[in-house]
């Protein structure tokens, strides 16, 4: 693992609408140890829904 990504890890955000659509993002694992939740657009559902971090 490189020094650039030692703290910031890549996480997958999956839609709670059940469509299976995902976003990829990164987060600082030291500052945010709990799961990330964001409201983003789901093009399959054609709506803004919650996306939760997958492990």
């Amino acid at each position: 693992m490189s020094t650039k990504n030692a703290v910031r890890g890549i996480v997958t955000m999956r839609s709670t609408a059940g469509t299976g659509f995902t976003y990829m993002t990164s987060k600082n694992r030291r500052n945010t140890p709990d799961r990330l939740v964001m409201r983003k657009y789901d093009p399959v559902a054609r709506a803004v829904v919650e996306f939760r971090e997958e492990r």
Side-chain angles (χ1 to χ4, degrees), residues 22-48:
T22 60
Y23 279 105
M24 299 297 284
T25 187
S26 66
K27 75 169 191 177
N28 189 324
R29 294 187 190 273
R30 279 191 202 141
N31 295 342
T32 317
D34 49 342
R35 290 193 184 189
L36 200 58
V37 178
M38 301 170 87
R39 287 185 53 84
K40 294 185 74 65
Y41 180 73
D42 186 342
V44 180
R46 294 190 200 158
V48 176

Side-chain angles (χ1 to χ4, degrees), residues 7-31:
V7 176
R8 294 195 70 84
I10 298 173
V11 295
T12 304
M13 308 289 290
R14 183 167 301 274
S15 172
T16 59
T19 60
F21 189 77
T22 60
Y23 279 105
M24 299 297 284
T25 187
S26 66
K27 75 169 191 177
N28 189 324
R29 294 187 190 273
R30 279 191 202 141
N31 295 342

